[in-house]
Amino acid sequence: MPRNAWTGYGRFCPLARALDVVGERWTLVIVQELLKRPSRYSDLASRLPGIGTSVLADRLRKLEAARVVERVPGSVGEGVVYALTDRGRGLSDALEALRRWGVSYLTDPTADGGARHEFDLHYVEGIDALRDAEFGLVIDAKPTTLRFSHGHLEQAPGAPADPVLTVYTSSAFMDRWAAGTASWDDGRASGEVTLEGPGRNWDTWLAATGYLLSYDPETGHA
């Protein structure tokens, strides 16, 4: 642990000042969640597994102080929710650019020099009811393996040995998906996303890759 809390870059520079406000760990992920919808503190905590309540409280406090986030009355029975201000919503384009830049690291586990990556999907309600499974993701003919187990997803290069479903698409579609202008279902409808394996496993894929907010084990749907 550092002896003193980080207080910023100390540079007279717009990028440095922006990072002083939103550059700490978890901060932009919180903003991303609030771009989707205003949220109660408990909802943010459940959708951001691993953040820790003290860190979440600290980041929200700093975002409020910077007038990026505000507390507003929620609907009846909801109490107070956190919402982005106009200044906070001004981060939308920057976050879209970061998602589009980062999608190549999401689809290629070796792009950052690592061999594999693991993701915690416990922000998906009901995810522990999903059975373990192996999937394939092929982008521009380059395969990766996705292994789901106990609420976690492991990604490794290469084709899977025994996938329940393999999803094929292109980097062009993934760019639009990352930008938020196309969904997985849009890709299937347009033919830009195709499947190898039983179509009934599509919702399992969506849950196992964290795309759904909730998973119903009774129906297999969100």
Side-chain angles (χ1 to χ4, degrees):
M1 293 289 291
R3 182 171 300 177
N4 299 310
W6 183 72
T7 58
Y9 287 100
R11 292 175 58 85
F12 191 72
C13 161
L15 176 61
R17 289 298 292 128
L19 292 175
D20 288 346
V21 176
V22 299
E24 285 189 274
R25 186 184 182 204
W26 290 107
T27 300
L28 282 178
V29 181
I30 293 169
V31 173
Q32 171 84 358
E33 286 295 323
L34 293 177
L35 276 169
K36 299 173 185 175
R37 67 191 71 78
S39 300
R40 295 177 300 175
Y41 180 92
S42 59
D43 293 331
L44 287 170
S46 67
R47 291 202 299 269
L48 301 171
I51 190 173
T53 55
S54 61
V55 174
L56 177 57
D58 176 73
R59 300 301 186 266
L60 287 170
R61 177 183 59 78
K62 290 177 178 177
L63 287 170
E64 281 192 87
R67 300 195 295 278
V68 175
V69 165
E70 61 183 348
R71 281 180 281 186
V72 298
S75 57
V76 176
E78 267 201 329
V80 171
V81 298
Y82 290 90
L84 293 176
T85 62
D86 288 342
R87 179 175 286 183
R89 287 187 290 273
L91 286 164
S92 178
D93 288 347
L95 282 170
E96 177 186 328
L98 277 172
R99 292 194 305 270
R100 295 177 70 179
W101 181 80
V103 74
S104 64
Y105 292 94
L106 179 69
T107 56
D108 180 1
T110 65
D112 62 356
R116 60 188 64 233
H117 292 281
E118 185 174 311
F119 308 93
D120 187 346
L121 301 179
H122 282 97
Y123 57 88
V124 179
E125 184 180 350
I127 195 67
D128 284 325
L130 191 65
R131 294 181 179 179
D132 294 358
E134 185 175 71
F135 304 90
L137 175 62
V138 182
I139 299 174
D140 296 336
K142 185 173 183 177
T144 60
T145 296
L146 299 169
R147 297 185 185 93
F148 174 84
S149 180
H150 299 95
H152 290 79
L153 186 71
E154 182 187 67
Q155 183 185 31
D162 188 25
V164 300
L165 190 72
T166 298
V167 176
Y168 293 83
T169 189
S170 66
S171 55
F173 172 79
M174 293 302 297
D175 179 74
R176 293 194 295 112
W177 174 79
T181 59
S183 69
W184 285 113
D185 287 327
D186 291 336
R188 287 192 68 189
S190 68
E192 295 171 279
V193 174
T194 59
L195 310 182
E196 182 180 335
R200 65 178 181 273
N201 290 332
W202 176 240
D203 283 321
T204 304
W205 152 271
L206 293 176
T209 55
Y211 189 71
L212 302 181
L213 284 177
S214 62
Y215 175 76
D216 184 346
E218 296 296 324
T219 64
H221 301 290

